[in-house]
Amino acid sequence: MDITKFVELSLGSWRSQRSAHHLAFRHFEEVTSNIDIIALKESDKEVIDLCQLYKIDPALAAHPFRMSWEGETDWDEKEEPFEGTTILVPIPDPDNPKVGRLLRDMGYAETIPSVGQYQITEDGTFVLTTAYDRAMAEEKIWFINPNFRLRVSLIKTSQGSGVVTASFSSETRVLDPKS
Amino acid sequence: MDITKFVELSLGSWRSQRSAHHLAFRHFEEVTSNIDIIALKESDKEVIDLCQLYKIDPALAAHPFRMSWEGETDWDEKEEPFEGTTILVPIPDPDNPKVGRLLRDMGYAETIPSVGQYQITEDGTFVLTTAYDRAMAEEKIWFINPNFRLRVSLIKTSQGSGVVTASFSSETRVLDPKS
């Protein structure tokens, strides 16, 4: 598994079930969503703009993609619809194809641009660590088969010691998005 | 990380939040439980009996333990209390300390004795695969810190192709079980 294979496997439409454990008050949040992941070109203006925001040579970008989602959460006792979209640009380390940076135009823990560090472990898990001003996010994504993947996300305090929220997504590929 | 370290870290009392995703009907199940893990001795009669059930030399057993739990699930729209206990006996491979078998006197997917294959990955994740008559179970457990661990469990069809249930537990150590 490398970033090329990982992005290629991720492209498509996914139906997601996500459970968030808000640990301090032992709360369960249930989220269902549909996720679309489409390839972008390294030459797309939005990709080049994001690289320039981080003062990174756009020639280093590999396999940029756009992720969009829409869904519902039962947070706050009512079904709240939500939607969003973000651009993600991997910048592989030229010396090690298993690690790199991931640029994002909107972060997960805070809605500002972010840059995370990724690595792909021996067993094919994509591990992403992102430091924000007031939090740290750690995410693991792995494929059980080409049509089913799992994602575990942690939001930690900025020192990285305490885990605030642990969440788990099971994502099933929608083979015919029209259905 | 090896089996010795893994079992030692696991000993104690844990407060667990578990979410199960029943994929076919996109159902969320929420489970809260308290888990106690205590060390057994290799010389305990129940450990020796379990080894003999599988015709394994009890001298090969290392760090056997007992796991007990009690909790509540919201399955079937009502809060159902449940409890259970099981003995687990690791049988490390004499040639490779990172892999081995795990004997259990009551399985997870079916309530009969089971024997699973475990391995500990490069990044310290304990991975257990157990084949049952009509299902396969795959479980990953890893520590975020000594007082917080995560567990992802999959129940697959016996051919291993389809995932039926994906579940996620976040487990926080109870530092003072009296509180």
Side-chain angles (χ1 to χ4, degrees), chain A residues 15-19 21 23 26-28 30-31 33 122 140 142 144-145 148 154 161 168 170, chain B residues 15-19 21 23 26-28 30-33 122 140 142 144-145 148 154 161 168 170:
Chain A
R15 199 180 62 180
S16 167
Q17 267 185 265
R18 185 160 79 91
S19 294
H21 297 177
L23 298 163
R26 225 175 171 176
H27 180 73
F28 290 87
E30 297 177 357
V31 184
S33 62
E122 195 185 26
K140 287 190 180 194
W142 69 100
I144 303 302
N145 63 54
F148 188 70
L154 301 179
S161 51
F168 175 62
S170 55
Chain B
R15 199 180 61 181
S16 166
Q17 267 185 266
R18 185 160 79 90
S19 293
H21 297 177
L23 297 163
R26 225 175 171 175
H27 180 73
F28 290 87
E30 297 177 357
V31 184
T32 52
S33 62
E122 193 185 28
K140 287 190 180 194
W142 68 101
I144 303 302
N145 63 53
F148 187 71
L154 300 179
S161 52
F168 175 62
S170 56

Side-chain angles (χ1 to χ4, degrees), chain B residues 39-168:
Chain B
L40 299 175
K41 292 201 203 86
E42 284 82 353
S43 58
D44 285 348
K45 180 175 185 307
E46 53 197 355
V47 173
I48 293 172
D49 286 351
L50 189 57
C51 289
Q52 289 177 341
L53 179 66
Y54 290 107
K55 300 184 172 35
I56 288 169
D57 180 357
L60 296 172
H63 309 292
F65 56 99
R66 172 179 286 283
M67 188 163 70
S68 305
W69 58 90
E70 53 176 21
E72 287 186 343
T73 168
D74 71 346
W75 180 254
D76 212 16
E77 308 293 316
K78 53 183 187 289
E79 301 275 311
E80 288 279 2
F82 62 87
E83 59 176 27
T85 186
T86 187
I87 297 165
L88 294 121
V89 180
I91 309 288
D93 186 325
D95 299 323
N96 182 348
K98 298 282 191 185
V99 304
R101 287 170 289 174
L102 184 68
L103 314 184
R104 190 180 328 210
D105 73 345
M106 202 182 83
Y108 172 66
E110 300 181 8
T111 55
I112 52 170
S114 72
V115 53
Q117 299 287 332
Y118 71 80
Q119 60 162 313
I120 295 171
T121 66
E122 193 185 28
D123 66 351
T125 304
F126 177 86
V127 182
L128 179 68
T129 307
T130 310
Y132 297 95
D133 277 356
R134 292 183 298 276
M136 277 186 59
E138 277 185 25
E139 189 160 51
K140 287 190 180 194
I141 303 175
W142 68 101
F143 286 84
I144 303 302
N145 63 53
N147 297 323
F148 187 71
R149 66 179 206 171
L150 300 175
R151 177 196 296 256
V152 169
S153 307
L154 300 179
I155 305 292
K156 298 180 169 185
T157 55
S158 52
Q159 294 77 24
S161 52
V163 178
V164 179
T165 304
S167 70
F168 175 62

Side-chain angles (χ1 to χ4, degrees), chain A residues 58-169:
Chain A
L60 296 172
H63 310 291
F65 55 98
R66 172 179 287 281
M67 187 164 72
S68 305
W69 58 89
E70 54 177 22
E72 287 186 341
T73 168
D74 71 345
W75 181 253
D76 213 15
E77 309 291 316
K78 54 183 185 289
E79 301 275 310
E80 288 280 3
F82 62 87
E83 59 176 27
T85 186
T86 187
I87 297 165
L88 295 121
V89 181
I91 309 288
D93 185 325
D95 299 324
N96 182 348
K98 298 282 191 185
V99 304
R101 287 170 290 174
L102 183 68
L103 314 184
R104 188 179 332 209
D105 72 345
M106 202 181 81
Y108 173 66
E110 299 181 8
T111 54
I112 50 170
S114 72
V115 53
Q117 300 286 332
Y118 71 80
Q119 60 162 313
I120 296 171
T121 66
E122 195 185 26
D123 66 351
T125 303
F126 178 86
V127 181
L128 178 69
T129 307
T130 310
Y132 296 94
D133 277 355
R134 291 183 298 276
M136 277 186 60
E138 277 185 26
E139 188 160 52
K140 287 190 180 194
I141 303 175
W142 69 100
F143 286 84
I144 303 302
N145 63 54
N147 296 323
F148 188 70
R149 67 178 206 171
L150 299 175
R151 177 195 295 258
V152 169
S153 306
L154 301 179
I155 305 292
K156 298 179 168 184
T157 55
S158 53
Q159 294 77 24
S161 51
V163 178
V164 179
T165 304
S167 69
F168 175 62
S169 300

